[in-house]
Amino acid sequence: MTQTEEQAVSAQDTPLVPIEKIVSLCKRRGFVYPNSEIYGGVSGIYDFGPLGVELRNNIRRFWWWSMVQTNDNVVGIEGSIITHPRVWEASGHVENFVDRLVDCKNCKRRFRVDHLPEENIRQNKCPVCGGELTEPRKFNLMMETYIGVVEGERMKTYLRGEACQNIYLDYDNVLKSSRVQIPFGICQIGKAFRNEVTPGNFLFRQREFEQWDLQFFVHPSEMQQWFDYWKERRFEWYKGIITHKDRLRFRAHGADELAHYAKQAFDIEYQSILGWQEWEGIHWRQDWDLSRHSQYSGQDLSYTDPETKERYIPWIVETSGGVDRTFLNLLLDAYEEEPPTGKDKEGRTVLHLNPVLAPVKVAVLPLQKNKEELVTTAKELHHKLRRLMVSQYDEVSNIGRRYRRQDEIGTPFCVTIDFTTLEDQTVTVRERDSMSQIRLHLNEVPAYLLERVRWDYTV
Ligand code: GAP
């Protein structure tokens, strides 16, 4: 097998989904559109359509619920995208947030040095055509912007290159304004911006993207214990939202990748057609961030233990992942083209999304659109359900085609109103993955569905 063929098969011999299939589904069904498409688009920047925004909101809300709302020792903030420029000097981004790039003198392709195989770096050879490579050049990834309108008084600053910096900036305010004590965590979901020199693979590497971070503040003596705790919790969280559990693993950072303050770091990786790739990083940040911000701002960010009166700079466990990578990985994980079977003679494309995250929870379908009683009953049920969850009413084309439309966007349940409904008030509830059908009384439908699409279901 060639490397590409090997990559196209996962650990359990399940075919991996080509990214083009996801790109096409996303555009066709309104999940993701290229940004500014009518002007030719901007590389590495995307917009989310009607279904995309529902899926994205569900992903975000579910993370927030699991990380903030169900942990007594974790609180949330929402910081700004623009901060004082000194923040990025203190964080090291102005000096060190760079990609090293080489160009092929022959085919003119450009590569990130850290993405090149060892062999090619050693021989200074292009991995595509074998041509000679240029000397590496450094590019800073920070996106610049300016505050103020008067020329000469404008202050240059940056769109944040990582969202977590706000948490260090607000750490002292949170401590003073909330009833939290170490050990405790602060969470945030927010946009980050990087002038990625090689954006690509759809949502995987973008220039504008969204991160979710937990920064957990601990006493140095408890660092290892909390690091291990969050590392396992985050792994289980991702495992809980995917179908192919064998496509998730930890990768320990090698000694040459670790920051000088980090004793260890792990990536949670997902295996897709792109290979094994980082989904979230679990980082040992020690006292680096708070010490640097203390030093650069002149503010004392140390913590005094209320009982022992010990004074120290807290150490930090960071878990930092991406909303967009989660969005992409979930689609890659959920997508399946099923061949024709006894149950579905035409075959179907289905998204096996976790019902908790699916953009539409239920579709209400009258068997025929020209039978007034069917339509009225279906619309009444839809109006009742849409107050509880995202419900779609659909009466266009035959029932099989309508099921397939919903399967393709991952709707876990379809409720069909048929002629028996008019006699005994029962409806057919069809489940997406098994395509099994049961009959329920109309009054039972809301509770039945709610039970299956609630936040704490399955995970
Ligand atoms: N505060 C630590 C930090 O920013 P990172 O590994 O650079 O660490 C964390 O980013 C996560 O953000 C990654 O695991 C990934 O999910 C997401 N991410 C990073 N760069 C990205 C990009 N260019 N496009 C989409 N997601 C990205």
Side-chain angles (χ1 to χ4, degrees), residues 100-306:
R100 289 169 67 237
L101 299 179
V102 287
D103 294 299
C104 173
K105 291 182 182 171
N106 181 44
C107 70
K108 310 295 177 207
R109 284 190 172 85
R110 179 165 287 172
F111 304 96
R112 264 173 65 170
V113 176
D114 59 338
H115 286 177
L116 281 176
E118 281 278 310
E119 179 90 346
N120 295 80
I121 300 176
R122 238 190 353 266
Q123 298 178 345
N124 202 33
K125 251 187 172 177
C126 171
V128 178
C129 75
E132 192 190 342
L133 299 171
T134 60
E135 281 298 304
R137 286 181 299 157
K138 282 184 176 179
F139 290 87
N140 193 291
L141 305 187
M142 294 297 288
M143 279 200 194
E144 295 175 3
T145 187
Y146 293 85
I147 300 176
V149 288
V150 181
E151 202 56 52
E153 292 174 17
R154 300 202 311 162
M155 180 167 71
K156 179 174 128 181
T157 184
Y158 306 91
L159 305 185
R160 62 186 174 194
E162 59 175 6
C164 66
Q165 290 299 325
N166 294 85
I167 297 181
Y168 315 133
L169 302 177
D170 288 336
Y171 153 79
D172 201 40
N173 278 327
V174 170
L175 202 57
K176 287 176 181 151
S177 60
S178 318
R179 294 164 58 84
V180 286
Q181 283 178 8
I182 280 179
F184 77 97
I186 304 179
C187 276
Q188 181 185 232
I189 301 180
K191 290 272 191 173
F193 301 82
R194 294 181 188 173
N195 259 325
E196 296 281 0
V197 205
T198 52
N201 288 325
F202 195 34
L203 304 179
F204 186 80
R205 193 173 307 287
Q206 297 173 82
R207 290 183 164 133
E208 174 179 334
F209 56 97
E210 196 161 43
Q211 293 184 309
W212 47 41
D213 289 292
L214 161 73
Q215 306 291 321
F216 200 77
F217 301 87
V218 301
H219 186 277
S221 66
E222 295 187 340
M223 182 70 181
Q224 186 70 58
Q225 147 196 350
W226 283 110
F227 185 86
D228 294 342
Y229 172 81
W230 284 112
K231 178 180 157 228
E232 289 310 317
R233 274 226 21 207
R234 293 304 299 144
F235 191 83
E236 289 305 314
W237 190 85
Y238 284 109
K239 211 163 134 189
I241 58 172
I242 55 173
T243 305
H244 301 280
K245 316 284 183 199
D246 60 313
R247 293 185 189 166
L248 205 63
R249 74 173 187 192
F250 280 121
R251 187 185 69 82
H253 284 208
D256 54 335
E257 291 173 87
L258 287 175
H260 69 272
Y261 49 81
K263 187 174 143 195
Q264 51 189 329
F266 288 86
D267 286 343
I268 296 175
E269 292 189 333
Y270 180 76
Q271 189 194 28
S272 72
I273 199 77
L274 307 175
W276 284 100
Q277 295 287 350
E278 174 185 345
W279 193 344
E280 170 157 318
I282 316 293
H283 303 135
W284 178 294
R285 293 191 79 121
Q286 208 153 303
D287 60 349
W288 163 258
D289 307 281
L290 291 182
S291 297
R292 289 281 287 195
H293 285 301
S294 278
Q295 187 191 334
Y296 276 70
S297 66
Q299 303 292 315
D300 180 7
L301 296 177
S302 61
Y303 175 81
T304 306
D305 187 292

Side-chain angles (χ1 to χ4, degrees), residues 384-442:
K384 200 167 171 184
L385 289 174
R386 72 183 180 187
R387 295 164 65 92
L388 305 169
M389 64 192 75
V390 178
S391 169
Q392 272 191 2
Y393 172 81
D394 187 4
E395 59 179 25
V396 179
S397 69
N398 72 46
I399 198 77
R401 193 162 294 166
R402 279 182 273 165
Y403 282 154
R404 272 192 292 282
R405 261 207 300 271
Q406 295 299 332
D407 290 341
E408 202 189 23
I409 62 168
T411 306
F413 297 100
C414 288
V415 178
T416 306
I417 315 296
D418 54 26
F419 292 103
T420 316
T421 314
L422 305 179
E423 288 163 20
D424 64 3
Q425 300 282 290
T426 63
V427 294
T428 302
V429 180
R430 173 191 181 266
E431 196 273 332
R432 176 196 64 202
D433 295 341
S434 61
M435 292 188 267
S436 62
Q437 303 192 355
I438 56 166
R439 283 201 84 84
L440 289 181
H441 192 278
L442 268 171

